[in-house]
Amino acid sequence: MKNRPSTAARLALAGAPLMLLVAGMAVGHPGHDHAHGSGFAAGLSHPLLGFDHLLAMLAVGLWSLRQGRAFSLVAPLLAAGGMLLGAGLAWGGFALPGVEFGIALSVLLAGVLVAALVKLPSVIGAGVVVLFMLFHGHAHGSEMPHGASMLAYLAGFTLATLAIAYAGRATGALLMARENRLLRALGALIAAAGALFAFG
């Protein structure tokens, strides 16, 4: 029996052209724009205004809901930990090759994990989340506004990361209570956006 495209896949294909409309929002790194302020405000705004960062963190929250309970509960904390690790590397002067491509690829792969309802062992899942967010954290750290308080900036983007990831969990719970196909479709759209960021 031949596999027919799922409803999620059909919705993703139909919605993919919409990604072209938001491609201009993919300037995911406003750290050099001092209009966003410094310190806490800049750290808080960076993940919220960066469409690629926003999608990755949202996808982590969505995907974590399908995992084991223990991992599901700590996944947002792991995302924040990966961000802090990446920022620490940037602040320590360690270059991370292919940061922009890594960010785009993390959005693409995180979307695939959501769309395919992939369930991983907790240890592997934790490593995946930290690795994904490592690239985002490096970008955040390297683009901290000149003269900003490092601790305030760190607090701002950590709070934003946790808020977005937990919002993803809440959204995933709402979608799962209604229809898994909606969750899969959202994952497919996130993956399509990641592909656009990486190869568009």
Side-chain angles (χ1 to χ4, degrees), residues 19-181:
M19 291 299 153
L20 296 174
L21 298 176
V22 298
M25 296 173 62
V27 182
H29 315 294
H32 296 303
D33 183 355
H34 294 272
H36 294 297
S38 61
F40 182 79
L44 191 67
S45 67
H46 202 284
L48 295 171
L49 298 179
F51 196 54
D52 46 2
H53 298 316
L54 186 65
L55 288 180
M57 295 167 196
L58 181 65
V60 164
L62 289 168
W63 176 65
S64 71
L65 201 62
R66 299 283 306 181
Q67 308 309 300
R69 178 169 173 77
F71 172 60
S72 175
L73 291 174
V74 302
L77 298 175
L78 290 169
M83 292 279 287
L84 295 175
L85 180 59
L89 290 174
W91 291 333
F94 293 96
L96 198 60
V99 170
E100 294 298 328
F101 185 73
I103 288 171
L105 196 60
S106 73
V107 176
L108 169 60
L109 295 178
V112 169
L113 291 175
V114 174
L117 302 179
V118 173
K119 188 169 184 178
L120 295 175
S122 294
V123 173
I124 296 175
V128 166
V129 170
V130 171
L131 180 62
F132 282 176
M133 302 317 297
L134 183 73
F135 291 97
H136 295 265
H138 195 281
H140 282 56
S142 63
E143 294 168 1
M144 182 175 71
H146 180 70
S149 163
M150 183 180 291
L151 287 178
Y153 185 72
L154 182 149
F157 78 65
T158 300
L159 179 61
T161 298
L162 290 172
I164 296 167
Y166 278 114
R169 278 177 50 82
T171 302
L174 179 63
L175 294 177
M176 284 172 60
R178 294 171 178 268
E179 176 60 68
N180 269 351
R181 286 179 295 181

